[in-house]
Amino acid sequence: MAPKPKDKAKPSPASPRQPPPAIEDLFTKLNSHIEGSADRNNEQSELKKAVRVADQVLAIAPGDEDALRCKVVALIKNDSYDEALSAIRSAKNLNFDFSFEEAYCLYKQNKLDEALELLKGQERNSETMLLEAQILFRLGRMAECIDVYQKLRKSELDSLEINLAASLILAGRSSEVQGMLDAQRIKPSSSYDLAFNTACSLIEVNKYAEAEQLLQQARRIGQESLLDANWAEEDIEIELAPIAVQLAYVQQLLGRSDEAIEAYTEMISPNLADDLSSLAVAVNNLVAQRGPKEVSDSLKKLELLKEQGGVDYRLARALDKLSPTQRETIYANRVLLLLHANKMDQARELVSALPAMFADCEIPTLLQASMLVREKKPAKAEEILDQFSIKFPHKSKIALLARAQIAAISNHHQIAADSLSRVPDIQHMPATVATLVALKERAGDIEGASLVLDSAVKFWSNAMTEDTTKLTIIMREAASFKVRHGQEAEAARLYEELIKTHGSSIEVLTGLVSTIARVDVEKAESYRKKLKPLPGLRGIDVASLEKTSGAKHVEGAPRQVAVEEGNKKEEKQKKKRKRKPRYPKGFDPANPGPPPDPERWLPKRERSSYRPKRKDKRAAQVRGSQGAVAREKNEPSAAGTSSNATKSAASNVTKAAAGKGASHSNQSSKSKKKSRR
C-alpha cells in the first residue's frame, strides 16, 4: 500500500509590521541609561545600552545633534575613543562642533600635539583651558601648564588645587605647594588626592618622616570616603595603589629597604593590572632597589610592562600617562639589566630605539656611550657625546662630564681637559681646577695648566664672598705648580699676595722663603726674620755648623744606644704575658706517658732503627735453564771444568733470565722447536 502524500504546509499570513517606537520614548529610555551609568557597578553596561538607544534615535532622525552628542559622550566614558572619533568624523557634514570632544579623544590616545592644535580655535572657557592644562602637563611644559592653572583659580572648579600641586612638583617648585594651599585656605587632608600630592612635595624637599605620616593619613581618608561611596574592596585597592607605592618609596628613602622590597613585591599582583601606572612604578623601584642581584627575575618583572603582541620591547600604551622621565627611567633600567645579564644584542637593539622616543634627553645618549665603551670603542663614544652637547647645549653638562671620564680612562688627556673646560658652572671649583691642571700636565700642555690656575685665582679674587678658603687653596697650589715648572718669580708673587691678603701663616712664609731665595736672597732673608724661632735651637750657631765637615763618629755612643735598645727589648719581653699551653683532647699533662719518637717525621730509610731486608740466596741457584739438554748419569764429566767456571756460567744465565725477559722467552720457543725435530 503506497504511503499517503503529506499535506503541503500552508503559508502563514504575513504578520503586520510593528511600527518603530516613538522618538520621545527612545529619548526617555536614553536618559534612564545615562542616569543609570552613575552607578559604578553598572556603569559600563548602561553606557553600552545608551549607545544602542542613541543609534536607534539616529536611525529615525540622522541629523539629531542631541542623540549624536549622547552617543559620543557615552563612548568616551566607556573608553571607546576610536569609535567616538569615527562617530565625530562621520558627522562632519552636519556642521556640528565636536572639536572639544575630538581633542579630548586625541589627548586620551596620547596624540597631544594634534589635540593642542584643535583647542587653539576653541573659545577660551574653563573646560577648554582645563583640557589645555592637562595636555601641557602631559607634554612636560610645566611653566605654561602652571600659568593656565593660575588663570583658572578665579573659576570655582573642583580639584583645581590638586592639579596645580602636581604641576608645581614636576616643575621643581615643591616648596611653593604649602604656600599655595595656605593662600587658598585649603588643608592637605581635605581629600586623599590632595594629601597624596602634598606628601610628594614633602618628599621632594627631603621631609620623609612628615611625608610618611601624610601618606598614611591619605590612605585612611581614601578608604573611609570610598567605602561610604559603596566601592568594592578590589576597586578601593586599585584606586589607592599609588599611595601604597609612594609609601614603599618613602620607606626605601628612610633606609628600611626590607620593608620597601616586601611592599613592592606584594603590590606586583594580577589585581594591579587595571592600574598599570602604579604597577610600573612598583616594578621599576623594586628592580632599582635590587640592583644587579636577581637579574633574571627583574627582567621577567619588567616584561609585565611590555605591550602585548609586540616583537620588540615597548611599554604598554596604557603607560603613556607616565611622565617622559618615568618612562625613560624604566627603559634605562632594562638596558642596564641586559648588560648585567650579558645580553648584548637585546641591549643594543633597545638602545638604538631610545633616541627616537626621547630625542632631546641625555639618558639614551649616555646608554649608547656605555655600550660603545663596553665594546671597546671609546673614540666613538666620545664622538656621540660631543655631538649631543653641541646639539643640546642646555643639557650638555652630564654628556660632557661623561665624555671627560671616558677620555681620561682611555688616556686621551687633552680631550678630557677640553670637555671639562666646556662646563661653565664648575669651571673654577677647586676639584675641577685640580683635575684640569693634572690632565693638561699629562698632555704636556704646561702653559695651558698655568692659564687655568691664573683664571681660577682671578675668579676667586673678584668673587663677592666672605669665605676665602678656596682662594687660599688655589693660590697655594698655583704657587707650588709654578715652582715645579721653573716659574719662581710668579710663585714668589703669589706667595707675597697671600701674605698681604690672608696673613703670614707658617706654611705660606716657608714657601715664600724657599721660593724667593732662588731669585732674591736679601728679600728671602727679610722674610725669614718673620719666622718664629723653633724652641730648643737658640744655642746653635748655624754659621759654625755649616763650616763643619759633618757629624763625627763618637766611640761609645752606639754601644750606649745598643745597651739602651737591649734594655728596652728586655722590658718588652718582661711585659709579655705568659699563656697556658693548649693540649690536645684526652691528654693529661700529669701523666704524659712515653715521649714521642723524635724521628717520626723522617722517612723509614733515614731512621736509626731501619734494617734493610736480606736478599734470598736461593734465588741465585739455577736448577737447569730452559732448553738445556739433560746430562745422563753414566756420561763422564768434563775433566778440566773448574768450580769457578761453573759459577760464572750460572751467574751469566741468572742475569740473562732476570734482565732480558723478552729474549729469554724467544730462546725457549726456539729450543722447543729443536726438540721436536
Side-chain angles (χ1 to χ4, degrees):
M1 185 175 178
K4 293 181 179 180
K6 292 183 179 180
D7 297 333
K8 291 182 179 180
K10 295 181 179 180
S12 60
S15 59
R17 192 172 183 180
Q18 294 181 355
I23 196 166
E24 291 83 2
D25 296 337
L26 290 174
F27 269 109
T28 304
K29 198 173 181 181
L30 179 60
N31 185 50
S32 66
H33 289 313
I34 291 172
E35 289 178 353
S37 65
D39 185 4
R40 185 177 177 81
N41 297 324
N42 303 322
E43 182 180 7
Q44 291 186 352
S45 61
E46 290 294 328
L47 288 172
K48 289 178 182 177
K49 292 175 183 178
V51 171
R52 285 197 294 267
V53 174
D55 286 334
Q56 292 177 6
V57 174
L58 291 170
I60 299 170
D64 195 298
E65 183 179 358
D66 293 333
L68 184 59
R69 197 170 292 278
C70 286
K71 178 183 177 180
V72 170
V73 172
L75 288 170
I76 290 173
K77 284 190 173 182
N78 206 26
D79 298 338
S80 303
Y81 304 114
D82 291 329
E83 296 177 34
L85 281 173
S86 62
I88 291 168
R89 287 162 184 170
S90 64
K92 288 287 185 183
N93 56 347
L94 298 175
N95 295 324
F96 296 150
D97 187 13
F98 284 97
S99 300
F100 178 79
E101 289 80 4
E102 187 178 0
Y104 185 81
C105 291
L106 292 171
Y107 159 71
K108 296 300 286 185
Q109 289 182 333
N110 208 39
K111 298 175 181 178
L112 304 175
D113 294 323
E114 297 178 39
L116 196 60
E117 190 66 27
L118 266 175
L119 286 178
K120 286 182 179 178
Q122 294 292 307
E123 182 185 354
R124 298 279 291 178
N125 54 29
S126 58
E127 289 182 351
T128 56
M129 289 176 70
L130 187 60
L131 180 56
E132 180 188 1
Q134 291 175 343
I135 294 171
L136 292 169
F137 181 88
R138 189 76 65 83
L139 285 169
R141 294 156 61 175
M142 293 303 161
E144 300 173 57
C145 174
I146 293 169
D147 185 48
V148 175
Y149 278 131
Q150 295 286 3
K151 293 175 182 177
L152 283 170
R153 287 174 68 176
K154 295 179 181 178
S155 59
E156 297 180 358
L157 290 174
D158 294 336
S159 307
L160 185 65
E161 64 278 356
I162 297 172
N163 294 348
L164 181 56
S167 304
L168 288 170
I169 292 167
L170 288 183
R173 297 162 59 181
S174 300
S175 57
E176 300 178 22
V177 172
Q178 191 60 49
M180 180 268 295
L181 295 177
D182 294 340
Q184 297 185 17
R185 297 180 181 180
I186 299 173
K187 291 184 178 180
S189 58
S190 58
S191 68
Y192 65 90
D193 288 324
L194 185 58
F196 172 78
N197 284 351
T198 309
C200 292
S201 70
L202 292 172
I203 293 171
E204 291 296 318
V205 295
N206 302 328
K207 296 181 179 180
Y208 304 134
E210 297 177 30
E212 185 179 20
Q213 293 177 1
L214 194 55
L215 285 170
Q216 291 171 349
Q217 189 177 1
R219 183 167 59 181
R220 185 170 61 253
I221 294 168
Q223 288 172 345
E224 292 173 357
S225 59
L226 295 175
L227 283 172
D228 293 341
N230 297 324
W231 282 44
E233 290 186 3
E234 293 181 359
D235 295 338
I236 293 173
E237 182 182 356
I238 294 169
E239 178 69 17
L240 301 180
I243 299 176
V245 173
Q246 203 71 349
L247 262 173
Y249 177 62
V250 172
Q251 290 170 353
Q252 179 180 336
L253 293 174
L254 288 170
R256 289 145 46 192
S257 301
D258 295 337
E259 295 180 37
I261 291 173
E262 185 179 354
Y264 289 139
T265 308
E266 288 177 359
M267 279 181 277
I268 301 172
S269 63
N271 295 336
L272 206 59
D274 294 335
D275 186 6
L276 202 57
S277 299
S278 299
L279 178 65
V281 175
V283 168
N284 180 77
N285 289 0
L286 177 62
V287 167
Q289 184 65 20
R290 282 178 175 176
K293 300 176 183 177
E294 304 181 35
V295 174
S296 58
D297 185 62
S298 296
L299 286 171
K300 287 179 183 177
K301 284 184 167 49
L302 283 175
E303 288 290 327
L304 299 172
L305 313 179
K306 180 184 175 183
E307 180 71 26
Q308 299 300 322
V311 179
D312 300 332
Y313 186 86
R314 296 293 181 273
L315 292 177
R317 291 183 61 186
L319 294 176
D320 289 342
K321 63 177 66 176
L322 292 176
S323 68
T325 305
Q326 289 174 319
R327 286 185 279 115
E328 184 185 38
T329 303
I330 294 172
Y331 280 121
N333 282 339
R334 178 168 175 81
V335 171
L336 294 175
L337 287 172
L338 290 172
L339 290 176
H340 281 297
N342 206 25
K343 297 182 179 180
M344 300 299 294
D345 294 336
Q346 295 182 37
R348 194 179 296 108
E349 183 181 357
L350 183 54
V351 165
S352 62
L354 289 180
M357 290 188 268
F358 310 99
D360 58 343
C361 296
E362 63 270 13
I363 295 297
T365 308
L366 293 173
L367 290 173
Q368 279 185 314
S370 65
M371 287 287 300
L372 291 168
V373 171
R374 184 81 176 265
E375 294 169 356
K376 297 182 179 180
K377 299 176 181 177
K380 185 66 177 176
E382 294 166 14
E383 182 183 350
I384 64 166
L385 289 168
D386 187 39
Q387 292 172 356
F388 180 86
S389 63
I390 295 170
K391 190 176 181 180
F392 303 102
H394 61 287
K395 295 184 176 181
S396 62
K397 181 177 179 179
I398 296 177
L400 288 171
L401 289 174
R403 182 172 183 253
Q405 184 179 7
I406 294 169
I409 293 171
S410 306
N411 293 326
H412 303 158
H413 301 121
Q414 191 60 48
I415 295 175
D418 293 342
S419 301
L420 278 180
S421 301
R422 289 163 57 187
V423 185
D425 55 342
I426 63 168
Q427 194 61 220
H428 301 294
M429 299 301 291
T432 309
V433 172
T435 308
L436 278 170
V437 170
L439 289 170
K440 286 183 177 291
E441 272 190 299
R442 292 188 181 185
D445 187 8
I446 305 302
E447 185 179 353
S450 181
L451 288 174
V452 168
L453 289 166
D454 293 342
S455 175
V457 169
K458 184 178 179 181
F459 174 82
W460 289 109
S461 298
N462 298 330
M464 303 298 291
T465 56
E466 295 181 359
D467 187 10
T468 58
T469 307
K470 293 176 182 176
L471 177 60
T472 305
I473 292 171
I474 292 174
M475 288 182 73
R476 193 182 301 161
E477 293 300 322
S480 176
F481 172 85
K482 292 178 185 298
V483 168
R484 287 201 309 272
H485 294 284
Q487 302 175 17
E488 288 85 0
E490 286 291 319
R493 183 185 62 78
L494 285 170
Y495 277 127
E496 286 181 329
E497 191 175 342
L498 265 175
I499 290 172
K500 290 176 184 177
T501 55
H502 302 93
S504 55
S505 65
I506 296 175
E507 294 179 1
V508 176
L509 272 174
T510 52
L512 175 60
V513 170
S514 61
T515 303
I516 208 170
R518 306 179 187 183
V519 181
D520 190 347
V521 179
E522 293 180 359
K523 204 171 187 180
E525 184 65 26
S526 64
Y527 279 113
R528 183 197 64 78
K529 293 177 180 178
K530 295 181 180 181
L531 288 170
K532 295 180 180 179
L534 292 175
L537 297 179
R538 291 181 180 177
I540 297 175
D541 187 2
V542 178
S544 60
L545 188 63
E546 289 178 349
K547 292 178 182 178
T548 58
S549 58
K552 293 182 179 180
H553 174 71
V554 181
E555 295 183 1
R559 291 182 182 178
Q560 187 176 358
V561 173
V563 171
E564 289 178 359
E565 289 180 355
N567 294 335
K568 288 180 180 178
K569 287 181 180 179
E570 288 178 2
E571 289 178 3
K572 288 182 180 179
Q573 289 177 359
K574 289 178 181 178
K575 289 179 181 178
K576 285 184 180 179
R577 187 175 58 184
K578 291 184 179 180
R579 296 184 179 179
K580 293 182 179 180
R582 295 177 66 182
Y583 299 110
K585 288 184 178 180
F587 179 75
D588 185 8
N591 300 311
D597 186 8
E599 297 180 352
R600 62 188 180 279
W601 306 118
L602 296 174
K604 286 187 176 182
R605 287 181 175 274
E606 297 179 10
R607 297 181 189 178
S608 58
S609 59
Y610 175 73
R611 296 290 181 272
K613 292 182 179 180
R614 294 183 179 181
K615 293 182 179 179
D616 192 0
K617 293 181 180 180
R618 292 176 294 178
Q621 295 178 3
V622 180
R623 299 183 183 273
S625 61
Q626 293 181 354
V629 180
R631 192 172 55 194
E632 294 181 2
K633 291 182 180 179
N634 56 0
E635 184 179 348
S637 60
T641 305
S642 64
S643 60
N644 292 333
T646 305
K647 288 179 182 178
S648 63
S651 63
N652 289 335
V653 171
T654 306
K655 288 177 183 177
K660 297 180 181 180
S663 61
H664 186 192
S665 61
N666 292 337
Q667 289 175 4
S668 63
S669 61
K670 289 178 183 178
S671 63
K672 286 179 182 177
K673 287 179 183 178
K674 287 178 182 178
S675 63
R676 285 175 186 171
R677 288 178 186 175

